[in-house]
Amino acid sequence: MSAKKIHTLLIKESALITGDGKTFLDKVNIVICGNKITYIGQEKPAGAAFTHILDGKDKLVLPGIINIHAHGIIPGAPLFSSASASLPGNQSEKNLITHISQGTTTILSLDGFARPGLVSQAKNICPVNIKTATTHHPKAYLAAKKIDASGLRDQREETVEEIIEHFSDIVIAIGEGGSGATLGGGVQDYKFIPEMVKREAGVIIDEYQARRLKEAVLGKRIASDFYDPERVGNVLKEIGLGNCPTEWALDKISETVLPSFGIALEALEEGANLAKKYKLPFIVHTAVPSMTKIEEISWLGNLLIAGHCNHPSFEIKEGIELIKRLRKKGAIIDISTFDTLDSPEREKEINFFFAILEAGLADVISTDYGGGNHSPILKVLELAIDQKVVTLPEAISLVTRNPSRAIPRLAPGRGAIVRGAIADVVMVRRSKISQVEEIIIEGIPALFGQT
Ligand SMILES: [Zn+2]
């Protein structure tokens, strides 16, 4: 991925979405000088011989996507609120490059135990604008240790105050407050529960089977008094664990899920107080098990970013009602693509996502992790636009202008194609926005550029 500094670049006669939620222009010329956009207009730009000319025919220019919720993109950093061991091999590099190849030019890592130095180093992989949130606070450490914390081995425990005060250029939010790992959610389903079942019963189950077993034992709200032997027995049979006693399932699932759960809820409270103290946005894991606590901390107003409000643990109606209550308190509503397009529950997940969009209840769209297989943002938006759930300019503002406003220090000067903005630009095929054809970060073609 070599990239040569470009001095002047002309995008010639392209269609353009500026990112403001309404403007669509056709046949415009866009000039980039150094790392800034210096001209947008239908006139032929004056004078200068351009170092580069990109033909805009059949293309659509968008601001680079700003993704405020990603995991597994910082090589060597612990994962999730469980501070699990970092991804093996070069998987984090690959994940980061995948995001960029899908049109993301600014990305916020929500693996809150990452050290700021590692986050800065990730910039060496490719020239993306990358920042991190932090969860280096005592109760978050404790919740991580109850479930895993293998990614913190041999690390000095830094305090959140140190991290926020010394690395203010790169640490710009608190989060992820809780996650599927400590709050009995998705990471339990695709990691901890299958690992436990393999270890204890010698049987391999997938994430959907794990979720069914977990919900049979503890219910969606993760409650230890939910247990019903008949229901658990039926699910054990259906997922090939018919030989295991129901009490075994109760004990083992409880041991796997519950130790971190109560402390993770307390960590949400602690995170909210930090957010208030430092006036930093707090991005939280919104799901059925955490919803009551999240409503309790909604006094944070627009410092509260309710992450992935379309979480699959919600029934659609329940989720939408929660979103409305949170919005009334001023919270920012984020929805995530997860692995929606490839999920066995695709239909429900798409309906949920689109219902929120259509009602105008989403402020921001992100990916989250999706077990490492997140659905590309532009692919999900393409489907939503095709089905007239949202207009193209509205859809793009949810991943450009809105996230830049929600987290002011994440992407200043970015998130719009206007004169003077930093030149983070994505060119997609006009008839198929999920087809990314060119990515320019700070004026430099990042992946596919002809240098
Ligand atoms: Zn997350």
Side-chain angles (χ1 to χ4, degrees), residues 8 274 287 302 408:
T8 51
L274 275 169
N302 68 2

Side-chain angles (χ1 to χ4, degrees), residues 186-207:
V187 188
Q188 283 290 353
D189 304 343
Y190 58 74
K191 179 173 165 60
F192 296 117
I193 293 172
E195 280 173 6
M196 177 278 287
V197 169
K198 192 173 167 215
R199 195 172 61 236
E200 302 287 334
V203 174
I204 292 174
I205 61 170
D206 68 23
E207 62 174 296

Side-chain angles (χ1 to χ4, degrees), residues 207-208 337-347 349-350 370 372-376 379-380:
E207 62 174 296
Y208 304 100
T337 60
F338 298 120
D339 60 348
T340 296
L341 297 180
D342 300 305
S343 163
E345 294 175 14
R346 176 185 158 114
E347 205 182 315
E349 291 189 22
I350 288 180
N373 296 305
H374 69 265
S375 298
K379 247 197 162 141
V380 177

Side-chain angles (χ1 to χ4, degrees), residues 373-419:
N373 296 305
H374 69 265
S375 298
I377 286 175
L378 289 175
K379 247 197 162 141
V380 177
L381 289 181
E382 183 174 86
L383 193 63
I385 293 160
D386 273 359
Q387 297 189 11
K388 308 222 179 315
V389 169
V390 67
T391 67
L392 173 62
E394 282 163 2
I396 298 306
S397 69
L398 295 170
V399 295
T400 55
R401 175 195 60 185
N402 289 12
S404 82
R405 283 189 184 164
I407 308 180
R409 280 169 44 207
L410 175 60
R414 302 170 197 253
I417 307 270
V418 291
R419 200 195 280 184

Side-chain angles (χ1 to χ4, degrees), residues 234-450:
N234 289 340
V235 170
L236 282 171
K237 262 184 237 146
E238 284 164 27
I239 65 171
L241 289 168
N243 292 332
C244 299
T246 54
E247 298 77 39
W248 172 87
L250 173 64
D251 289 350
K252 292 297 165 192
I253 291 290
S254 300
E255 276 170 25
T256 307
V257 176
L258 292 180
S260 62
F261 187 74
I263 297 159
L265 292 180
E266 290 172 29
L268 280 171
E269 192 88 49
E270 199 173 65
N273 289 321
L274 275 169
K276 184 184 168 205
K277 178 175 167 194
Y278 286 101
K279 295 195 172 57
L280 288 177
F282 184 29
I283 301 151
V284 297
H285 174 86
T286 317
V288 167
S290 57
M291 63 186 276
T292 307
K293 180 55 78 182
I294 287 170
E295 283 203 79
E296 276 172 38
I297 58 169
S298 61
W299 51 260
L300 270 175
N302 68 2
L303 285 181
L304 180 67
I305 301 185
H308 53 61
C309 285
N310 58 323
H311 194 270
S313 60
F314 291 115
E315 298 302 327
I316 293 181
K317 193 163 170 270
E318 169 188 46
I320 289 193
E321 279 164 10
L322 173 69
I323 289 171
K324 286 181 177 162
R325 293 196 299 276
L326 290 173
R327 277 179 77 97
K328 267 197 191 137
K329 300 282 192 153
I332 289 162
I333 305 301
D334 163 68
I335 55 177
S336 294
T337 60
F338 298 120
D339 60 348
T340 296
L341 297 180
D342 300 305
S343 163
E345 294 175 14
R346 176 185 158 114
E347 205 182 315
K348 182 218 158 183
E349 291 189 22
I350 288 180
N351 286 343
F352 193 8
F353 194 100
F354 286 6
I356 297 168
L357 266 188
E358 196 159 27
L361 293 172
D363 298 304
V364 180
I365 295 172
S366 64
T367 58
D368 201 5
Y369 188 57
N373 296 305
H374 69 265
S375 298
I377 286 175
L378 289 175
K379 247 197 162 141
V380 177
L381 289 181
E382 183 174 86
L383 193 63
I385 293 160
D386 273 359
Q387 297 189 11
K388 308 222 179 315
V389 169
V390 67
T391 67
L392 173 62
E394 282 163 2
I396 298 306
S397 69
L398 295 170
V399 295
T400 55
R401 175 195 60 185
N402 289 12
S404 82
R405 283 189 184 164
I407 308 180
R409 280 169 44 207
L410 175 60
R414 302 170 197 253
I417 307 270
V418 291
R419 200 195 280 184
I422 293 172
D424 284 1
V425 171
V426 177
M427 292 176 78
V428 298
R429 178 167 289 204
R430 189 164 170 175
S431 56
K432 191 175 194 302
I433 62 162
S434 65
Q435 191 165 326
V436 175
E437 309 232 319
E438 188 77 57
I439 294 167
I440 298 163
I441 302 181
E442 294 187 26
I444 301 169
L447 284 181
F448 317 111
Q450 323 119 34

Side-chain angles (χ1 to χ4, degrees), residues 161-173:
E161 287 80 9
E162 270 177 307
I163 298 265
I164 291 174
E165 286 162 20
H166 295 170
F167 300 94
S168 59
D169 54 334
I170 200 135
V171 180
I172 49 89

